[in-house]
Amino acid sequence: MTDAATRAAELLKEHRESIDRLDAILVYTLGERFKHTQAVGRLKAEHDLPPSDPAREATQIARLEDLAKQADLDPDFAKKFLNFIIAEVIQHHKKHQE
């Protein structure tokens, strides 16, 4: 293996290790987020509140799009990601109301 190929392999390994650490952060962060949304779902069910809040969802999507721009992340991707999470949360909230 050439020096350049060896260096490339080392850089690849470093990037992959960082990606693995970031994936772990994402999973634990989502776990923590869903603990809170589960609590919100129970609270909404106890007080007969609707499982979704379109005004809050729209505000959160706009907020996330702005954060994505600041982070140099594709805002459309961020919006799709948050929409996916919101859909999951609403499903959880509906289950609490059953």
Side-chain angles (χ1 to χ4, degrees), residues 22-36:
L22 291 165
D23 285 346
I25 290 168
L26 287 171
V27 169
Y28 279 96
T29 300
L30 285 171
E32 187 66 20
R33 187 185 196 286
F34 276 95
K35 285 178 192 172
H36 289 283

Side-chain angles (χ1 to χ4, degrees), residues 2-16:
T2 66
D3 286 344
T6 299
R7 181 67 184 135
E10 289 172 6
L11 289 171
L12 182 61
K13 182 179 182 243
E14 290 172 13
H15 285 301
R16 286 180 173 164

Side-chain angles (χ1 to χ4, degrees), residues 38-53:
Q38 291 286 356
V40 167
R42 287 188 296 275
L43 186 63
K44 284 182 173 185
E46 289 170 12
H47 296 280
D48 200 29
L49 297 170
S52 70
D53 182 346

Side-chain angles (χ1 to χ4, degrees), residues 48-97:
D48 200 29
L49 297 170
S52 70
D53 182 346
R56 169 143 170 90
E57 293 158 20
T59 300
Q60 286 300 94
I61 289 169
R63 182 177 156 271
L64 191 70
E65 285 178 311
D66 287 340
L67 288 171
K69 290 173 190 172
Q70 293 171 30
D72 199 25
L73 177 67
D74 178 2
D76 288 332
F77 170 76
K79 184 177 179 178
K80 287 176 192 174
F81 182 69
L82 186 59
N83 278 325
F84 172 76
I85 290 173
I86 288 170
E88 285 294 309
V89 168
I90 290 170
Q91 290 305 312
H92 292 180
H93 290 184
K94 286 179 179 178
K95 286 179 185 176
H96 285 295
Q97 292 187 341

